[in-house]
Amino acid sequence: MLKKLCCFVFLGSFAYLIRYHFLGRKCRCKRNLSGRLVIVTGASSGIGRALAEELARKGANLILACRDVKKAEIVREKISVTTGNSNIRVSELDLASLESVERFSQDILNTVESIYALVNNAGIFYSSPRNTEDGFEETFQVNYLSVFLLTLLLLPAIRRHCDPARIVNVGSEGHLHAWPFPQPEYHRVFDDSREDRFRAYFYSKFCLTLFSWRLASLSENSNISVHCVDPGSAETSIFRNFPPLVNKLSKWVQKPVRIFVVKTPHEGAQSVLHAILSPEKPPFYIRNLKEEEEIHCRLSDPLLGITLWRMSRKMCGHRLPSAS
């Protein structure tokens, strides 16, 4: 009996160490963010919520930019009570509406002096294709186009920060699977299929990573550094449309395996936290708290970056100043 118990304890400890090595690493940065403003999009659940709580513990002034204001207010109150940080406010932001992005940005520029970090965390995955009120496919707009607009509109306030400021875009290894560029068929409603839903997501994340690379190059000699973070697969509501996880029985069957291959929201937030807290300038692409060497080989093609920038500016129209 004792031998079996010892064997069980050994196997359990070994499994825990394996899981910790691949999934459970924590950001050890001790930096205090007291007095620094951080904006986190999609902070009402998942990685965004976990990140907001971690940042609140570090003393940051937070703006939770969320589509569902009521839900975000409940989260704000809970984080404030848990961390003792009352410098948290909620502001409405719907990335499926360019007008909402413009309105949110104007409100921020009118009410804050400077921004230390902008974290573009909100995103969607495997959604049925549909156009937004602006006429763009929702996955493309939410995961990329609105992030492009939001970031450029808030740049003046980010540039005003006296210390080096950071823009952190939450990406995905899915960007590695996008090849043709541009793919205008994913800018508008496309034929619905499993393959096209994946391709639309991969394409949106490639655009986000390419934009981040281009902006990082343009900001090289400024006070702003730009980073992409792959948080890995985490148990969040982003999978709410994914068939294998919508079915409760299927999800239950997968549970024993998912414990060892899927992160909790707090584990998924650690690499994003590192990009914000690191006292030294972090690498451009971060995964599992370290520089990720495997990024899309086409990111360094300057023609692609310029093409995407011009295409995106045209899509945003009058909402961007001519100098952007």
Side-chain angles (χ1 to χ4, degrees):
M1 181 68 180
L2 181 61
K3 188 176 181 180
K4 289 182 179 180
L5 180 61
C6 291
C7 182
F8 178 78
V9 171
F10 172 77
L11 291 175
S13 300
F14 180 73
Y16 174 80
L17 290 173
I18 292 294
R19 187 188 188 285
Y20 177 81
H21 177 75
F22 290 103
L23 303 180
R25 293 180 179 178
K26 292 187 177 181
C27 173
R28 302 297 181 184
C29 301
K30 303 298 184 183
R31 190 177 187 187
N32 186 279
L33 295 181
S34 180
R36 292 181 172 88
L37 176 65
V38 181
I39 297 175
V40 182
T41 69
S44 61
S45 65
I47 290 175
R49 176 176 178 169
L51 177 66
E53 185 174 330
E54 297 270 16
L55 292 171
R57 293 186 191 281
K58 294 292 184 179
N61 296 344
L62 287 171
I63 295 178
L64 311 183
C66 305
R67 179 178 56 84
D68 189 335
V69 174
K70 289 184 178 179
K71 183 179 179 181
E73 283 289 356
I74 295 172
V75 170
R76 180 201 62 77
E77 185 174 352
K78 289 182 178 179
I79 292 177
S80 183
V81 170
T82 302
T83 64
N85 186 339
S86 60
N87 295 315
I88 308 171
R89 71 180 173 97
V90 171
S91 190
E92 184 178 9
L93 174 64
D94 182 0
L95 294 178
S97 166
L98 296 181
E99 181 182 353
S100 176
V101 173
E102 188 177 24
R103 187 168 57 248
F104 170 84
S105 302
Q106 194 58 55
D107 177 62
I108 297 299
L109 295 175
N110 289 338
T111 56
V112 308
E113 291 185 8
S114 65
I115 299 169
Y116 164 64
L118 168 64
V119 184
N120 290 306
N121 161 76
I124 57 176
F125 168 74
Y126 205 81
S127 293
S128 57
R130 55 177 168 265
N131 283 344
T132 67
E133 63 186 38
D134 302 294
F136 302 109
E137 205 285 315
E138 188 176 36
T139 296
F140 175 74
Q141 180 167 331
V142 170
N143 289 356
Y144 167 65
L145 187 62
S146 287
V147 175
F148 172 84
L149 177 62
L150 176 66
T151 303
L152 294 193
L153 288 178
L154 292 181
L155 269 181
I158 301 173
R159 289 189 179 120
R160 286 199 296 267
H161 199 271
C162 56
D163 297 331
R166 291 173 186 176
I167 296 171
V168 181
N169 295 328
V170 176
S172 165
E173 68 175 341
H175 85 278
L176 293 167
H177 305 296
W179 280 96
F181 177 83
Q183 289 183 271
E185 62 267 33
Y186 295 124
H187 298 171
R188 304 288 193 278
V189 167
F190 50 86
D191 292 336
D192 193 8
S193 69
R194 180 179 182 277
E195 292 74 17
D196 276 320
R197 287 195 189 192
F198 274 111
R199 290 182 186 130
Y201 177 76
F202 297 156
Y203 177 66
S204 69
K205 288 300 183 180
F206 174 78
C207 289
L208 178 65
T209 310
L210 180 59
F211 161 63
S212 303
W213 182 276
R214 171 72 176 163
L215 185 60
S217 300
L218 294 174
S219 305
E220 199 167 12
N221 297 318
S222 72
N223 70 315
I224 301 172
S225 63
V226 184
H227 313 277
C228 252
V229 177
D230 177 6
S233 180
E235 291 283 8
T236 71
S237 60
I238 196 171
F239 293 109
R240 60 182 171 271
N241 296 313
F242 193 45
L245 297 178
V246 171
N247 184 287
K248 291 183 179 180
L249 177 60
S250 174
K251 188 174 182 179
W252 181 83
V253 170
Q254 297 175 54
K255 188 68 174 178
V257 175
R258 292 181 66 81
I259 290 175
F260 291 98
V261 299
V262 179
K263 298 178 180 181
T264 66
H266 276 277
E267 289 168 343
Q270 296 306 306
S271 288
V272 186
L273 192 64
H274 177 72
I276 300 168
L277 294 179
S278 176
E280 305 298 328
K281 180 181 177 180
F284 168 72
Y285 202 94
I286 302 171
R287 189 170 188 263
N288 290 331
L289 294 174
K290 60 183 181 181
E291 182 173 6
E292 176 58 60
E293 297 179 358
E294 188 181 10
I295 57 176
H296 207 296
C297 60
R298 300 187 72 196
L299 294 180
S300 57
D301 184 341
L303 181 59
L304 289 190
I306 293 171
T307 300
L308 176 65
W309 196 286
R310 289 175 176 172
M311 179 184 78
S312 305
R313 278 204 95 273
K314 185 176 181 180
M315 289 176 171
C316 292
H318 67 278
R319 292 181 172 86
L320 280 171
S322 56
S324 298

